[in-house]
Amino acid sequence: MLRALLLAAPGAGKGTQGQRLAEIYGVPHLATGDLLRQHVANGTELGLEAKTYMDRGELVPDKLVIDLILARLTGEEPLRGFVLDGFPRSLNQARDALEWGRVRRSTFHAVISLAVGEDELVRRLLERGRQSGRTDDNEVTIRNRLRVYDGSTRPLLDFYRSRGILVEIDGTGPVEDVTSRIRAALDRILGLPYEGTIGHLVQANPRGPGQGDVPGLLRRVAQSLADLGPVEVTGLTLDREPTETGPWYSMSVYFRRSV
Ligand code: AMP
């Protein structure tokens, strides 16, 4: 089960790649920015406090973010696999994350950094702001978020490089190409039988319709295998993660193409 962190500047594609990787490897995608925006939208106390920092492009204080993410990662049945996006973002957070990982024997397999030049980052963020209306995607806040990234988050590259788990990926070009570069690196690290894996994740939520279920998961896996053409299945994992809104099921299928 993959445990990976995406560590890159705003606009480098963490959210997009994080969702794609989570689907491929069959693990949840946890984005602190999304979790914080949910709190803001729900008007919670945490959301109100976080908003003042987010609007300025500053980091939300460590304590708030650590409590938030800790509630998702740990708890009675800790997540064994995940793609983390946007946490840790400061050395303090990174040290805390390493400590929990050690205690639970679940440190990161890989930290993926996506390299994208600053002009391209600003261009992408302004475009996203126009399309999604994200209030922190305006030029003044964008510049500040890039400064904050350089000052507080960039030092984490060395932190993980010195631990031998940093994977540096060119984050430019078509989204699919970036995903392929990341997958090639992750599959090597995880020692998966190449030529590849497909993974699917569904939430089986007894309280809500249309959330997917195990038969739905199997149908999606079967369809993906059918789309691949003749393959030999070399491994299979099925995992269940309980969450507040019902269990998640994920399945990964390892395959080699048979000719
Ligand atoms: P993102 O969606 O990852 O760009 O995050 C949006 C905003 O949420 C950031 O500009 C920060 O204000 C806040 N944020 C997200 N993750 C963290 C974190 N790990 N530590 C502190 N602030 C964070």
Side-chain angles (χ1 to χ4, degrees):
M1 269 230 151
L2 175 69
R3 288 186 299 277
L5 160 67
L6 281 159
L7 181 63
K14 293 191 297 293
T16 307
Q17 296 300 332
Q19 279 165 14
R20 293 170 67 92
L21 294 171
E23 175 90 359
I24 290 168
Y25 290 93
V27 292
H29 170 230
L30 288 181
T32 40
D34 291 346
L35 294 175
L36 287 166
R37 278 185 291 277
Q38 265 168 29
H39 274 272
V40 173
N42 294 337
T44 66
E45 202 175 313
L46 189 154
L48 290 178
E49 189 169 351
K51 188 174 186 322
T52 57
Y53 297 92
M54 293 167 79
D55 285 347
R56 291 197 305 266
E58 302 289 337
L59 290 186
V60 170
D62 287 338
K63 169 90 178 77
L64 293 186
V65 180
I66 288 171
D67 287 351
L68 181 73
I69 197 80
L70 200 61
R72 295 300 299 270
L73 282 184
T74 61
E76 278 174 25
E77 295 212 41
L79 289 180
R80 276 174 298 142
F82 46 76
V83 173
L84 273 186
D85 154 1
F87 177 88
R89 228 167 169 125
S90 66
L91 277 173
N92 260 339
Q93 295 177 8
R95 290 195 191 101
D96 271 20
L98 180 61
E99 195 49 41
W100 307 328
R102 280 196 179 135
V103 170
R104 293 178 179 75
R105 297 184 184 284
S106 61
T107 46
F108 301 142
H109 295 115
V111 175
I112 303 149
S113 89
L114 299 173
V116 176
E118 178 156 341
D119 288 348
E120 173 67 7
L121 292 174
V122 174
R123 193 192 64 72
R124 289 185 189 182
L125 289 167
L126 287 173
E127 181 59 29
R128 188 175 69 184
R130 267 192 292 276
Q131 291 193 3
S132 75
R134 236 181 89 165
T135 49
D136 58 350
D137 284 340
N138 64 73
E139 180 127 22
V140 174
T141 311
I142 288 170
R143 296 276 173 207
N144 198 37
R145 283 156 66 203
L146 292 173
R147 261 199 309 277
V148 168
Y149 174 80
D150 279 336
S152 302
T153 310
R154 196 183 285 282
L156 270 62
L157 293 174
D158 277 338
F159 180 87
Y160 291 116
R161 190 179 286 119
S162 69
R163 283 169 177 77
I165 54 169
L166 185 71
V167 181
E168 298 185 77
I169 303 285
D170 172 5
T172 59
V175 167
E176 301 78 34
D177 292 1
V178 178
T179 309
S180 302
R181 284 173 214 142
I182 302 174
R183 282 187 69 173
L186 286 180
D187 285 353
R188 256 195 317 277
I189 290 166
L190 294 172
L192 295 178
Y194 214 59
E195 156 170 348
T197 52
I198 52 170
H200 283 298
L201 177 73
V202 291
Q203 185 172 29
N205 182 353
R207 273 167 283 169
Q211 292 287 331
D213 49 14
V214 174
L217 174 69
L218 294 176
R219 272 196 301 277
R220 289 172 66 196
V221 169
Q223 184 59 53
S224 302
L225 280 173
D227 291 347
L228 284 168
V231 292
E232 178 194 345
V233 173
T234 55
L236 193 69
T237 62
L238 177 65
D239 284 282
R240 181 179 184 280
E241 304 274 5
T243 72
E244 280 165 20
T245 51
W248 285 83
Y249 293 92
S250 64
M251 178 174 270
S252 297
V253 181
Y254 305 118
F255 67 86
R256 256 195 293 271
R257 247 171 253 273
S258 41
V259 271

PDB file of all heavy atoms in Angstrom, residues 19 25 27 30 39 54 97 105 116 119 122 126 138 149 154 156 168 173 180 183 190 229 240 248 258:
ATOM      1  N   GLN A  19      -4.792  13.142  -7.083  1.00  0.00           N
ATOM      2  CA  GLN A  19      -6.024  12.388  -7.335  1.00  0.00           C
ATOM      3  C   GLN A  19      -5.766  11.219  -8.270  1.00  0.00           C
ATOM      4  O   GLN A  19      -6.272  10.120  -8.075  1.00  0.00           O
ATOM      5  CB  GLN A  19      -7.079  13.302  -7.964  1.00  0.00           C
ATOM      6  CG  GLN A  19      -7.786  14.147  -6.925  1.00  0.00           C
ATOM      7  CD  GLN A  19      -8.556  15.305  -7.541  1.00  0.00           C
ATOM      8  OE1 GLN A  19      -8.778  15.342  -8.741  1.00  0.00           O
ATOM      9  NE2 GLN A  19      -8.921  16.254  -6.712  1.00  0.00           N
ATOM     10  N   TYR A  25      -3.185   3.787  -7.432  1.00  0.00           N
ATOM     11  CA  TYR A  25      -2.636   2.894  -6.401  1.00  0.00           C
ATOM     12  C   TYR A  25      -3.700   2.456  -5.389  1.00  0.00           C
ATOM     13  O   TYR A  25      -3.382   1.753  -4.426  1.00  0.00           O
ATOM     14  CB  TYR A  25      -1.448   3.562  -5.701  1.00  0.00           C
ATOM     15  CG  TYR A  25      -0.250   3.665  -6.625  1.00  0.00           C
ATOM     16  CD1 TYR A  25      -0.020   4.799  -7.381  1.00  0.00           C
ATOM     17  CD2 TYR A  25       0.617   2.583  -6.777  1.00  0.00           C
ATOM     18  CE1 TYR A  25       1.047   4.882  -8.268  1.00  0.00           C
ATOM     19  CE2 TYR A  25       1.683   2.647  -7.653  1.00  0.00           C
ATOM     20  CZ  TYR A  25       1.891   3.799  -8.389  1.00  0.00           C
ATOM     21  OH  TYR A  25       2.938   3.860  -9.268  1.00  0.00           O
ATOM     22  N   VAL A  27      -5.501   4.150  -3.067  1.00  0.00           N
ATOM     23  CA  VAL A  27      -5.387   4.674  -1.697  1.00  0.00           C
ATOM     24  C   VAL A  27      -6.099   6.025  -1.643  1.00  0.00           C
ATOM     25  O   VAL A  27      -6.291   6.655  -2.674  1.00  0.00           O
ATOM     26  CB  VAL A  27      -3.895   4.855  -1.263  1.00  0.00           C
ATOM     27  CG1 VAL A  27      -3.201   3.510  -1.122  1.00  0.00           C
ATOM     28  CG2 VAL A  27      -3.154   5.766  -2.206  1.00  0.00           C
ATOM     29  N   LEU A  30      -5.367  12.634   0.392  1.00  0.00           N
ATOM     30  CA  LEU A  30      -5.643  13.553   1.499  1.00  0.00           C
ATOM     31  C   LEU A  30      -4.958  14.881   1.234  1.00  0.00           C
ATOM     32  O   LEU A  30      -3.732  14.956   1.230  1.00  0.00           O
ATOM     33  CB  LEU A  30      -5.091  12.993   2.813  1.00  0.00           C
ATOM     34  CG  LEU A  30      -5.807  11.807   3.427  1.00  0.00           C
ATOM     35  CD1 LEU A  30      -5.127  11.418   4.736  1.00  0.00           C
ATOM     36  CD2 LEU A  30      -7.260  12.155   3.690  1.00  0.00           C
ATOM     37  N   HIS A  39     -13.624  23.117   5.956  1.00  0.00           N
ATOM     38  CA  HIS A  39     -13.912  23.759   7.246  1.00  0.00           C
ATOM     39  C   HIS A  39     -14.366  25.200   7.038  1.00  0.00           C
ATOM     40  O   HIS A  39     -15.282  25.666   7.702  1.00  0.00           O
ATOM     41  CB  HIS A  39     -12.684  23.719   8.157  1.00  0.00           C
ATOM     42  CG  HIS A  39     -12.602  22.437   8.938  1.00  0.00           C
ATOM     43  ND1 HIS A  39     -13.206  22.274  10.148  1.00  0.00           N
ATOM     44  CD2 HIS A  39     -12.013  21.262   8.650  1.00  0.00           C
ATOM     45  CE1 HIS A  39     -12.982  21.049  10.600  1.00  0.00           C
ATOM     46  NE2 HIS A  39     -12.250  20.407   9.694  1.00  0.00           N
ATOM     47  N   MET A  54      -5.244  31.737   5.133  1.00  0.00           N
ATOM     48  CA  MET A  54      -5.351  31.265   3.742  1.00  0.00           C
ATOM     49  C   MET A  54      -5.569  32.436   2.787  1.00  0.00           C
ATOM     50  O   MET A  54      -4.988  32.476   1.708  1.00  0.00           O
ATOM     51  CB  MET A  54      -6.490  30.245   3.619  1.00  0.00           C
ATOM     52  CG  MET A  54      -6.193  28.972   4.377  1.00  0.00           C
ATOM     53  SD  MET A  54      -7.627  27.928   4.572  1.00  0.00           S
ATOM     54  CE  MET A  54      -7.709  27.158   2.960  1.00  0.00           C
ATOM     55  N   ALA A  97       5.441  14.462  11.418  1.00  0.00           N
ATOM     56  CA  ALA A  97       4.985  13.379  10.533  1.00  0.00           C
ATOM     57  C   ALA A  97       5.948  12.197  10.614  1.00  0.00           C
ATOM     58  O   ALA A  97       5.529  11.040  10.663  1.00  0.00           O
ATOM     59  CB  ALA A  97       4.873  13.882   9.097  1.00  0.00           C
ATOM     60  N   ARG A 105       5.262   2.531  12.374  1.00  0.00           N
ATOM     61  CA  ARG A 105       5.949   1.790  11.307  1.00  0.00           C
ATOM     62  C   ARG A 105       5.306   2.044   9.954  1.00  0.00           C
ATOM     63  O   ARG A 105       5.011   1.123   9.194  1.00  0.00           O
ATOM     64  CB  ARG A 105       5.930   0.277  11.585  1.00  0.00           C
ATOM     65  CG  ARG A 105       6.669  -0.084  12.834  1.00  0.00           C
ATOM     66  CD  ARG A 105       6.721  -1.589  13.026  1.00  0.00           C
ATOM     67  NE  ARG A 105       7.367  -1.899  14.283  1.00  0.00           N
ATOM     68  CZ  ARG A 105       8.677  -1.820  14.476  1.00  0.00           C
ATOM     69  NH1 ARG A 105       9.472  -1.489  13.492  1.00  0.00           N
ATOM     70  NH2 ARG A 105       9.188  -2.082  15.658  1.00  0.00           N
ATOM     71  N   VAL A 116       8.442  22.848 -11.616  1.00  0.00           N
ATOM     72  CA  VAL A 116       7.776  23.697 -12.617  1.00  0.00           C
ATOM     73  C   VAL A 116       8.304  25.114 -12.396  1.00  0.00           C
ATOM     74  O   VAL A 116       8.402  25.563 -11.251  1.00  0.00           O
ATOM     75  CB  VAL A 116       6.233  23.676 -12.421  1.00  0.00           C
ATOM     76  CG1 VAL A 116       5.549  24.630 -13.381  1.00  0.00           C
ATOM     77  CG2 VAL A 116       5.674  22.270 -12.579  1.00  0.00           C
ATOM     78  N   ASP A 119       7.231  31.245 -13.697  1.00  0.00           N
ATOM     79  CA  ASP A 119       6.287  31.902 -14.623  1.00  0.00           C
ATOM     80  C   ASP A 119       5.117  30.983 -14.940  1.00  0.00           C
ATOM     81  O   ASP A 119       3.967  31.406 -15.003  1.00  0.00           O
ATOM     82  CB  ASP A 119       6.992  32.274 -15.936  1.00  0.00           C
ATOM     83  CG  ASP A 119       7.952  33.432 -15.721  1.00  0.00           C
ATOM     84  OD1 ASP A 119       7.885  34.057 -14.631  1.00  0.00           O
ATOM     85  OD2 ASP A 119       8.785  33.681 -16.620  1.00  0.00           O
ATOM     86  N   VAL A 122       2.677  30.762 -11.952  1.00  0.00           N
ATOM     87  CA  VAL A 122       1.786  31.923 -11.844  1.00  0.00           C
ATOM     88  C   VAL A 122       0.711  31.839 -12.927  1.00  0.00           C
ATOM     89  O   VAL A 122      -0.480  32.063 -12.671  1.00  0.00           O
ATOM     90  CB  VAL A 122       2.590  33.242 -11.949  1.00  0.00           C
ATOM     91  CG1 VAL A 122       1.655  34.439 -11.984  1.00  0.00           C
ATOM     92  CG2 VAL A 122       3.568  33.355 -10.773  1.00  0.00           C
ATOM     93  N   LEU A 126      -3.295  31.674 -12.007  1.00  0.00           N
ATOM     94  CA  LEU A 126      -4.223  32.723 -12.445  1.00  0.00           C
ATOM     95  C   LEU A 126      -5.351  32.094 -13.259  1.00  0.00           C
ATOM     96  O   LEU A 126      -6.521  32.449 -13.115  1.00  0.00           O
ATOM     97  CB  LEU A 126      -3.486  33.776 -13.275  1.00  0.00           C
ATOM     98  CG  LEU A 126      -2.574  34.711 -12.469  1.00  0.00           C
ATOM     99  CD1 LEU A 126      -1.757  35.608 -13.397  1.00  0.00           C
ATOM    100  CD2 LEU A 126      -3.402  35.573 -11.500  1.00  0.00           C
ATOM    101  N   ASN A 138      -5.315  34.802  -6.627  1.00  0.00           N
ATOM    102  CA  ASN A 138      -5.186  36.136  -7.239  1.00  0.00           C
ATOM    103  C   ASN A 138      -3.713  36.514  -7.159  1.00  0.00           C
ATOM    104  O   ASN A 138      -2.967  35.939  -6.355  1.00  0.00           O
ATOM    105  CB  ASN A 138      -6.062  37.157  -6.503  1.00  0.00           C
ATOM    106  CG  ASN A 138      -5.603  37.348  -5.071  1.00  0.00           C
ATOM    107  OD1 ASN A 138      -4.575  37.970  -4.798  1.00  0.00           O
ATOM    108  ND2 ASN A 138      -6.344  36.773  -4.129  1.00  0.00           N
ATOM    109  N   TYR A 149       6.277  29.302   0.122  1.00  0.00           N
ATOM    110  CA  TYR A 149       6.786  27.977  -0.297  1.00  0.00           C
ATOM    111  C   TYR A 149       8.313  27.975  -0.235  1.00  0.00           C
ATOM    112  O   TYR A 149       8.923  27.060   0.322  1.00  0.00           O
ATOM    113  CB  TYR A 149       6.305  27.627  -1.718  1.00  0.00           C
ATOM    114  CG  TYR A 149       6.942  26.353  -2.212  1.00  0.00           C
ATOM    115  CD1 TYR A 149       6.452  25.121  -1.796  1.00  0.00           C
ATOM    116  CD2 TYR A 149       8.070  26.380  -3.033  1.00  0.00           C
ATOM    117  CE1 TYR A 149       7.061  23.939  -2.188  1.00  0.00           C
ATOM    118  CE2 TYR A 149       8.686  25.205  -3.430  1.00  0.00           C
ATOM    119  CZ  TYR A 149       8.186  23.993  -3.004  1.00  0.00           C
ATOM    120  OH  TYR A 149       8.805  22.836  -3.384  1.00  0.00           O
ATOM    121  N   ARG A 154      10.206  24.701   0.870  1.00  0.00           N
ATOM    122  CA  ARG A 154      11.325  24.199   0.051  1.00  0.00           C
ATOM    123  C   ARG A 154      12.408  23.476   0.878  1.00  0.00           C
ATOM    124  O   ARG A 154      12.970  22.472   0.421  1.00  0.00           O
ATOM    125  CB  ARG A 154      11.933  25.349  -0.775  1.00  0.00           C
ATOM    126  CG  ARG A 154      12.816  24.860  -1.896  1.00  0.00           C
ATOM    127  CD  ARG A 154      13.472  26.013  -2.647  1.00  0.00           C
ATOM    128  NE  ARG A 154      12.585  26.727  -3.545  1.00  0.00           N
ATOM    129  CZ  ARG A 154      12.229  26.277  -4.741  1.00  0.00           C
ATOM    130  NH1 ARG A 154      12.655  25.109  -5.166  1.00  0.00           N
ATOM    131  NH2 ARG A 154      11.436  26.988  -5.509  1.00  0.00           N
ATOM    132  N   LEU A 156      12.100  21.394   3.000  1.00  0.00           N
ATOM    133  CA  LEU A 156      11.736  19.981   3.189  1.00  0.00           C
ATOM    134  C   LEU A 156      12.343  19.090   2.109  1.00  0.00           C
ATOM    135  O   LEU A 156      12.498  17.885   2.313  1.00  0.00           O
ATOM    136  CB  LEU A 156      10.208  19.810   3.176  1.00  0.00           C
ATOM    137  CG  LEU A 156       9.514  19.938   4.528  1.00  0.00           C
ATOM    138  CD1 LEU A 156       9.710  21.313   5.139  1.00  0.00           C
ATOM    139  CD2 LEU A 156       8.032  19.639   4.406  1.00  0.00           C
ATOM    140  N   GLU A 168      12.566  13.347  -7.686  1.00  0.00           N
ATOM    141  CA  GLU A 168      12.364  14.638  -8.361  1.00  0.00           C
ATOM    142  C   GLU A 168      11.861  14.399  -9.779  1.00  0.00           C
ATOM    143  O   GLU A 168      12.501  13.709 -10.570  1.00  0.00           O
ATOM    144  CB  GLU A 168      13.661  15.434  -8.352  1.00  0.00           C
ATOM    145  CG  GLU A 168      14.065  15.710  -6.908  1.00  0.00           C
ATOM    146  CD  GLU A 168      15.283  16.615  -6.782  1.00  0.00           C
ATOM    147  OE1 GLU A 168      15.133  17.842  -6.956  1.00  0.00           O
ATOM    148  OE2 GLU A 168      16.364  16.067  -6.509  1.00  0.00           O
ATOM    149  N   GLY A 173       4.526  19.813 -19.048  1.00  0.00           N
ATOM    150  CA  GLY A 173       4.007  18.990 -20.145  1.00  0.00           C
ATOM    151  C   GLY A 173       2.650  18.420 -19.801  1.00  0.00           C
ATOM    152  O   GLY A 173       2.077  18.738 -18.751  1.00  0.00           O
ATOM    153  N   SER A 180       2.831   9.462 -15.773  1.00  0.00           N
ATOM    154  CA  SER A 180       3.646   8.298 -16.182  1.00  0.00           C
ATOM    155  C   SER A 180       5.038   8.370 -15.572  1.00  0.00           C
ATOM    156  O   SER A 180       5.578   7.347 -15.142  1.00  0.00           O
ATOM    157  CB  SER A 180       3.812   8.244 -17.701  1.00  0.00           C
ATOM    158  OG  SER A 180       2.579   8.188 -18.293  1.00  0.00           O
ATOM    159  N   ARG A 183       4.697   7.395 -11.955  1.00  0.00           N
ATOM    160  CA  ARG A 183       4.417   5.958 -11.799  1.00  0.00           C
ATOM    161  C   ARG A 183       5.651   5.116 -12.018  1.00  0.00           C
ATOM    162  O   ARG A 183       5.885   4.146 -11.297  1.00  0.00           O
ATOM    163  CB  ARG A 183       3.359   5.516 -12.804  1.00  0.00           C
ATOM    164  CG  ARG A 183       1.985   5.880 -12.414  1.00  0.00           C
ATOM    165  CD  ARG A 183       1.008   5.269 -13.364  1.00  0.00           C
ATOM    166  NE  ARG A 183       0.953   3.813 -13.223  1.00  0.00           N
ATOM    167  CZ  ARG A 183       0.081   3.055 -13.853  1.00  0.00           C
ATOM    168  NH1 ARG A 183      -0.791   3.589 -14.659  1.00  0.00           N
ATOM    169  NH2 ARG A 183       0.086   1.764 -13.674  1.00  0.00           N
ATOM    170  N   LEU A 190       8.476   0.709  -5.102  1.00  0.00           N
ATOM    171  CA  LEU A 190       7.638  -0.282  -4.424  1.00  0.00           C
ATOM    172  C   LEU A 190       7.998  -1.706  -4.839  1.00  0.00           C
ATOM    173  O   LEU A 190       7.499  -2.670  -4.265  1.00  0.00           O
ATOM    174  CB  LEU A 190       6.157  -0.025  -4.745  1.00  0.00           C
ATOM    175  CG  LEU A 190       5.561   1.274  -4.202  1.00  0.00           C
ATOM    176  CD1 LEU A 190       4.165   1.485  -4.759  1.00  0.00           C
ATOM    177  CD2 LEU A 190       5.515   1.272  -2.679  1.00  0.00           C
ATOM    178  N   GLY A 229      -6.347  -5.188 -22.699  1.00  0.00           N
ATOM    179  CA  GLY A 229      -6.068  -6.284 -23.637  1.00  0.00           C
ATOM    180  C   GLY A 229      -5.511  -7.468 -22.873  1.00  0.00           C
ATOM    181  O   GLY A 229      -5.694  -7.559 -21.649  1.00  0.00           O
ATOM    182  N   ARG A 240      -9.643  -2.494   3.125  1.00  0.00           N
ATOM    183  CA  ARG A 240     -10.835  -1.820   3.627  1.00  0.00           C
ATOM    184  C   ARG A 240     -10.373  -0.815   4.675  1.00  0.00           C
ATOM    185  O   ARG A 240      -9.618  -1.176   5.567  1.00  0.00           O
ATOM    186  CB  ARG A 240     -11.747  -2.863   4.281  1.00  0.00           C
ATOM    187  CG  ARG A 240     -13.033  -2.334   4.826  1.00  0.00           C
ATOM    188  CD  ARG A 240     -13.836  -3.510   5.412  1.00  0.00           C
ATOM    189  NE  ARG A 240     -15.144  -3.085   5.872  1.00  0.00           N
ATOM    190  CZ  ARG A 240     -15.364  -2.480   7.024  1.00  0.00           C
ATOM    191  NH1 ARG A 240     -14.376  -2.249   7.853  1.00  0.00           N
ATOM    192  NH2 ARG A 240     -16.592  -2.123   7.367  1.00  0.00           N
ATOM    193  N   TRP A 248     -14.114   2.563   3.065  1.00  0.00           N
ATOM    194  CA  TRP A 248     -13.589   2.645   1.707  1.00  0.00           C
ATOM    195  C   TRP A 248     -12.989   1.294   1.375  1.00  0.00           C
ATOM    196  O   TRP A 248     -12.331   0.681   2.211  1.00  0.00           O
ATOM    197  CB  TRP A 248     -12.435   3.655   1.641  1.00  0.00           C
ATOM    198  CG  TRP A 248     -12.840   5.075   1.680  1.00  0.00           C
ATOM    199  CD1 TRP A 248     -13.128   5.818   2.782  1.00  0.00           C
ATOM    200  CD2 TRP A 248     -12.989   5.949   0.558  1.00  0.00           C
ATOM    201  NE1 TRP A 248     -13.445   7.092   2.428  1.00  0.00           N
ATOM    202  CE2 TRP A 248     -13.371   7.206   1.066  1.00  0.00           C
ATOM    203  CE3 TRP A 248     -12.839   5.784  -0.812  1.00  0.00           C
ATOM    204  CZ2 TRP A 248     -13.599   8.292   0.235  1.00  0.00           C
ATOM    205  CZ3 TRP A 248     -13.058   6.874  -1.625  1.00  0.00           C
ATOM    206  CH2 TRP A 248     -13.447   8.109  -1.107  1.00  0.00           C
ATOM    207  N   SER A 258       0.561  -9.983 -21.518  1.00  0.00           N
ATOM    208  CA  SER A 258       0.950 -11.239 -22.169  1.00  0.00           C
ATOM    209  C   SER A 258       0.795 -11.051 -23.676  1.00  0.00           C
ATOM    210  O   SER A 258      -0.183 -10.470 -24.132  1.00  0.00           O
ATOM    211  CB  SER A 258       0.119 -12.407 -21.662  1.00  0.00           C
ATOM    212  OG  SER A 258      -1.231 -12.020 -21.518  1.00  0.00           O
TER     213      SER A 258
END
